[in-house]
């Protein structure tokens, strides 16, 4: 199996844990030895495993935790590290995410998640006139 | 020099190129051999060097290209790959970014940039503001 497919499967596991509200499965997906961080939509960056896993336990522990479906995932592998870009569909809203992974004990474990709102009229093909704010 | 400092300096170089509207310097900062991607605020993911560099040339080529100042940068190194989380200050607005780097020919080159709006009331509590300035 190619590394890209392995990474895409690890990415899918993240969204399965999210949608199942399974905080233990979520915790198991994140690296235990590498430095980790997380940027939830609109939030500041969380730094370190305790803070990141704590945020997911808080989010997934509520009955209103959203189901998050992943689509158009693309894996980019660089040696033993990889990042995925994908869309997240949450209650009719569309987000775009970066998920970073590293190989640890034979498995691809997450080291970073960054999710943010996707603007309107942003098909995943080519961009029209660039209009930028950053 | 620690890898973290090297990575933070590469991150600063990205914002210097941005603020100087120097598209050639920007192009030189990005990897030529690894797969690259970029998510500008509100945009869908751009995939591949041609698309990513093209977007920066379009953005930096306009007289209205914003100056972007980086603060509270934190580097997370995993072997020969690293990611930085930081804030971007753009004309009074605050964004949060993920920048991913890999070591290539002795230099830390960018492989991914993801920037998105920071919500209100999100102080960066866990960081003592030790950022490198350009």
């Amino acid at each position: 199996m190619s590394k890209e497919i392995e990474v895409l499967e690890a990415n899918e596991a993240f969204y399965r844990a999210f949608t199942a509200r399974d905080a233990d499965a979520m915790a198991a997906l994140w690296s235990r030895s590498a430095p980790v961080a997380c940027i939830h939509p609109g939030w500041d960056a969380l730094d370190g495993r305790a803070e990141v896993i704590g945020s997911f336990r808080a989010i997934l522990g509520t009955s209103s935790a959203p189901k998050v479906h992943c689509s158009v995932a693309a894996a980019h592998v660089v040696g033993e590290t990889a990042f995925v870009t994908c869309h997240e569909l949450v209650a009719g809203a569309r987000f775009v995410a970066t998920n970073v992974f590293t190989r640890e004990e034979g498995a691809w474990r997450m080291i970073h998640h960054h999710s943010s709102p996707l603007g309107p009229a942003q098909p995943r093909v080519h961009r029209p006139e660039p209009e930028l704010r950053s």
Side-chain angles (χ1 to χ4, degrees), chain A residues 56-75:
Chain A
F56 279 107
R57 288 198 184 278
I59 290 165
L60 300 180
T62 69
S63 59
S64 60
K67 293 189 185 300
V68 183
H69 296 282
C70 169
S71 71
V72 291

Side-chain angles (χ1 to χ4, degrees), chain A residues 35-38 45-52:
Chain A
V36 305
C38 180
L46 303 175
D47 209 333
R49 184 175 166 92
E51 208 173 330
V52 171

Side-chain angles (χ1 to χ4, degrees), chain A residues 4-37:
Chain A
E4 281 76 11
I5 293 193
E6 291 175 354
V7 168
L8 289 173
E9 291 189 350
N11 193 63
E12 280 297 325
F14 170 76
Y15 290 104
R16 271 201 308 277
F18 211 129
T19 289
R21 296 175 187 162
D22 187 336
D24 290 337
M26 177 62 79
L29 294 171
W30 284 77
S31 171
R32 292 186 175 274
S33 60
V36 305

Side-chain angles (χ1 to χ4, degrees), chain A residues 3 25 35 48 54 57 64 67 83 89 114 116 132:
Chain A
K3 284 183 175 179
R57 288 198 184 278
S64 60
K67 293 189 185 300
F83 69 93
L89 308 173
H114 182 165
S116 59
L132 170 87

Side-chain angles (χ1 to χ4, degrees), chain A residues 82-95:
Chain A
F83 69 93
V84 172
T85 61
C86 61
H87 286 188
E88 299 173 342
L89 308 173
V90 187
R94 191 174 287 259
F95 296 76

